[in-house]
Amino acid sequence: GGTIKSFSSVCGGLASPDALEADNPLQYKFSWSPRGVISAAQNASRFLENGAEVNIPGSGLLSSARPFTGWPSLNLEVLPNRDSLIYEELYGIGDADDVFRGTLRYRDWADVMHSFQELGLLDMSGAPIGDAKQWGELLDAQAQSSSASAEKVAQ
């Protein structure tokens, strides 16, 4: 007959730490569609924290990652996972002050992905990559494009 005041659920397809390569800045192995990972990294999210609804736009998801302390030795971070509020009714926890669902990643994954996002590398509009034949050429072109876009916004 108790009342649940806080609900938190996390998940994540984490590769075994010993399977990760030292030169893998994402510390991530794609176990599903790379397009799905890129899309999920830009989903809006909604959850309750201290009784207040928190809404994070998709463009802000990657900058909303927080350290996850559930297993400190794994060095993880957690990102909100879509709409957590649908679980209030489904689980009968409408009196809870905190309702949160999150996705686990190794620490700094979101920072690296956010950098990719700012360079336009997560843009799924299907824009052509131009004449770039090498990874460095693509990054240079994207950086110039991002810089030009930022200048237009500043004006």
Side-chain angles (χ1 to χ4, degrees), residues 1-141:
T3 301
I4 294 175
K5 299 306 284 175
S6 182
F7 173 82
S8 181
S9 169
V10 295
C11 67
L14 299 169
S16 170
D18 60 336
L20 297 172
E21 305 290 329
D23 65 349
N24 179 346
L26 289 177
Q27 295 297 291
Y28 186 81
K29 296 219 180 229
F30 288 96
S31 59
W32 59 304
S33 159
R35 181 178 180 87
V37 172
I38 290 168
S39 176
Q42 300 179 89
N43 284 328
S45 65
R46 188 168 84 118
F47 57 94
L48 270 184
E49 184 173 59
N50 298 319
E53 184 175 320
V54 177
N55 289 283
I56 298 178
S59 60
L61 181 68
L62 292 169
S63 58
S64 73
R66 303 178 192 169
F68 180 76
T69 58
W71 299 287
S73 63
L74 291 179
N75 201 24
L76 301 173
E77 64 188 14
V78 62
L79 295 101
N81 188 349
R82 297 196 185 200
D83 186 0
S84 298
L85 301 187
I86 61 173
Y87 294 93
E88 286 179 297
E89 183 178 340
L90 187 65
Y91 294 163
I93 55 174
D95 293 332
D97 293 328
D98 301 296
V99 178
F100 180 83
R101 290 178 60 246
T103 299
L104 297 173
R105 296 287 181 254
Y106 286 107
R107 182 111 6 113
D108 297 328
W109 180 87
D111 283 343
V112 172
M113 290 292 284
H114 187 255
S115 296
F116 288 171
Q117 185 180 44
E118 290 201 333
L119 286 170
L121 298 174
L122 304 187
D123 181 355
M124 297 187 17
S125 67
I129 61 171
D131 295 330
K133 293 183 176 43
Q134 301 288 325
W135 181 242
E137 293 172 346
L138 174 63
L139 289 177
D140 286 344

Side-chain angles (χ1 to χ4, degrees), residues 136-152:
E137 293 172 346
L138 174 63
L139 289 177
D140 286 344
Q142 286 299 112
Q144 290 172 9
S145 176
S146 294
S147 178
S149 296
E151 286 177 21
K152 286 181 187 175

